[in-house]
Amino acid sequence: MSNKNINRLFEALTPKNEQKEKMFHNILVRSQNESKRHRGFTPVKRLRFAVLSAVLMVCLTTTAFAAAYMGLDKTFLNFLNPVDNEQAQYLSNGAYVVDKQVANENGTLTIKQVIGDSNLTYVLMDFTAPEGTVLHADRYRFGDTTISSKLGGYSIGYHVLDDGNPKDNKISLVMNIQTKKSLAGQTLHFTFKDLQAADPGPRGLFNETVIPGSWETAFKLDFKEYSNLYQIDQNITMFGYQAELKTISISPISISLKIESSTLSEIFEAADSLRKTGENESLDNFPITINYKDGTSETTRIFTGSTSADYLTNQMLTIKKFKNVINDKEIASIVFFDKEFPIHN
C-alpha cells in the first residue's frame, strides 16, 4: 500500500470530535456497568479497567476499530453501494446519526442518518404506518415537503429502499436535498405532509395520498462534507455560445459544476431543458463524461440531479447525482462540452 493510500485510509478512519465523545461516553457507561456487577474489585483490577479504557480511547481514534464501531445503517449502505471497503469506511466516518422520531395518530417518522457534500444531502428515514396497514407500492414520497431556512432554493426527491419486508407497515426512504451550498452543520426545520404512493409500473404517477397527515421536526445535519473543489476558470462553448466553467466539485455522491455566461437564456433555449423520454425520465441536456484512471468512462445521459440558473448574476449550477456512489478517488478527468479537465487527486 502506498503512502498516499495509507493517508487516505487514516483520513477515513479518523472520527470527528462529537463521534469521539460518543465513543468515550459509551466506554465509560460500560465501565460503570461492569463496576456495578463486580463490587468486589480490588484496586489493582480497577486500575486495570482504567488503563483498558485509555487504551481503547487511543485505538478508537487511530485504527480500523473506529470505522467498524460507527457504521452506516445496513439499508443505507446497500443504497449507496460503495466501490470497496475503504470507501465504505470513508462514508461511514462522515455520516451523522440523528435518531429522531415524530409521531401522530397516522404514523411515525424516524429520521435515522445523514450524509452529504457541497450540494447534495441524503437523509435516511423510516415511516411506520398504524398496525394493519400494508405499504407495498414501488414508490413513495411526501406530497409536500418544506424546509424553513434561508437556503435560497432547493430541490427534493425520494427513493424507496429495500428493507427486506415489502408487505409490512414500514418503509425506508432516502430523501435527497439539492442546494447551492452545503447543509453541513446546519439545523433545519422540516415539515412532511401526506405520504403518497405511485401507480404501479416504472412510469406510474403520484396521484394518491395513502397516509394523510403532517410531521414536523428539526434536526442538525452535522455530517462530514465529502467534496473536493477544483478551481477551473476556463472558457468553454455550450451549444455555440461562450461560457466560463468556474468550478467542479467532486465527491462520492455527486459532481457539481458552476458556470457563468451572459447568454444563459440562449443556452437553455438551445438545450430545450429536460426533454422527457418517459413519465419519470428526462435526458441530461448538460451531460458530463467521467474518465477514470483505468481507461474506463461513463457519461450522464439521463437527468438525475438538478440544474438551476440565476439570470441576474449570469450563474448556472448543475448537480449530477448517480444511482450509486462513484469512485471519486480514481477520476482522471471530466469532459464538459468541448473541453477535458484533468482532475489531480
Side-chain angles (χ1 to χ4, degrees):
M1 181 180 288
S2 67
N3 290 337
K4 183 178 179 180
N5 287 334
I6 291 173
N7 291 335
R8 284 166 48 190
L9 182 60
F10 273 89
E11 178 190 359
L13 298 177
T14 303
K16 295 185 293 186
N17 289 335
E18 183 172 323
Q19 293 168 333
K20 293 176 184 177
E21 291 172 1
K22 288 182 179 178
M23 297 175 201
F24 190 56
H25 171 75
N26 289 336
I27 290 172
L28 291 177
V29 170
R30 291 174 190 171
S31 175
Q32 290 167 355
N33 291 338
E34 288 295 325
S35 296
K36 290 177 181 177
R37 288 198 296 269
H38 300 84
R39 293 187 183 279
F41 258 21
T42 65
V44 173
K45 290 182 178 178
R46 291 195 189 99
L47 177 60
R48 186 181 301 165
F49 237 130
V51 172
L52 176 60
S53 296
V55 171
L56 281 173
M57 190 59 197
V58 173
C59 291
L60 285 169
T61 60
T62 57
T63 73
F65 185 50
Y69 186 86
M70 296 306 298
L72 274 170
D73 185 280
K74 182 180 178 182
T75 55
F76 210 5
L77 195 61
N78 289 338
F79 164 73
L80 297 169
N81 194 20
V83 296
D84 53 31
N85 188 53
E86 181 183 344
Q87 190 179 50
Q89 291 172 331
Y90 181 70
L91 293 170
S92 176
N93 190 47
Y96 180 68
V97 178
V98 181
D99 275 346
K100 188 165 190 176
Q101 285 191 343
V102 55
N104 61 31
E105 67 277 11
N106 292 332
T108 300
L109 183 64
T110 302
I111 310 298
K112 302 180 73 175
Q113 294 185 341
V114 181
I115 67 170
D117 63 16
S118 60
N119 300 97
L120 175 63
T121 303
Y122 282 134
V123 181
L124 175 66
M125 59 180 69
D126 287 346
F127 181 82
T128 305
E131 289 293 335
T133 305
V134 178
L135 301 177
H136 54 66
D138 290 335
R139 294 184 295 128
Y140 287 95
R141 73 176 184 186
F142 287 97
D144 184 13
T145 304
T146 58
I147 304 175
S148 300
S149 71
K150 297 180 181 178
L151 296 178
Y154 53 86
S155 173
I156 287 177
Y158 290 93
H159 184 86
V160 178
L161 305 186
D162 181 4
D163 63 0
N165 189 351
K167 296 182 179 180
D168 63 3
N169 60 334
K170 184 175 83 64
I171 53 173
S172 293
L173 298 168
V174 166
M175 176 176 66
N176 68 77
I177 312 170
Q178 296 168 75
T179 52
K180 291 183 179 179
K181 296 181 179 179
S182 176
L183 299 181
Q186 295 193 45
T187 298
L188 301 179
H189 184 277
F190 294 81
T191 301
F192 304 91
K193 290 183 179 179
D194 297 339
L195 184 71
Q196 297 181 337
D199 290 339
R203 298 183 178 183
L205 297 174
F206 282 101
N207 57 10
E208 181 186 6
T209 295
V210 292
I211 306 288
S214 178
W215 293 264
E216 294 186 38
T217 184
F219 55 88
K220 195 170 185 178
L221 297 95
D222 200 14
F223 55 83
K224 177 179 179 179
E225 216 270 64
Y226 291 118
S227 298
N228 287 311
L229 184 67
Y230 299 90
Q231 196 70 40
I232 305 298
D233 296 327
Q234 290 192 36
N235 293 328
I236 56 175
T237 302
M238 301 174 69
F239 304 105
Y241 297 96
Q242 293 299 305
E244 183 178 6
L245 178 59
K246 300 298 293 183
T247 61
I248 300 176
S249 181
I250 299 177
S251 85
I253 62 175
S254 80
I255 294 178
S256 301
L257 298 91
K258 291 183 179 179
I259 301 110
E260 288 185 1
S261 175
S262 59
T263 55
L264 284 185
S265 297
E266 290 83 353
I267 289 173
F268 272 85
E269 184 177 354
D272 189 20
S273 184
L274 298 183
R275 286 177 296 178
K276 283 186 173 296
T277 58
E279 188 60 44
N280 301 301
E281 187 176 274
S282 302
L283 292 177
D284 185 355
N285 290 327
F286 303 101
I288 61 170
T289 295
I290 306 170
N291 292 322
Y292 292 100
K293 294 175 183 176
D294 65 1
T296 61
S297 65
E298 60 177 309
T299 300
T300 59
R301 302 188 185 282
I302 302 299
F303 182 75
T304 57
S306 68
T307 298
S308 59
D310 185 335
Y311 295 105
L312 295 177
T313 60
N314 294 326
Q315 294 179 332
M316 168 184 166
L317 172 66
T318 181
I319 304 169
K320 315 296 181 185
K321 62 186 182 69
F322 306 92
K323 182 178 180 181
N324 303 124
V325 296
I326 57 174
N327 197 352
D328 60 312
K329 302 300 183 186
E330 295 300 317
I331 294 177
S333 65
I334 298 290
V335 178
F336 189 58
F337 283 84
D338 58 336
K339 287 191 178 178
E340 180 174 358
F341 304 95
I343 300 298
H344 303 289
N345 290 307

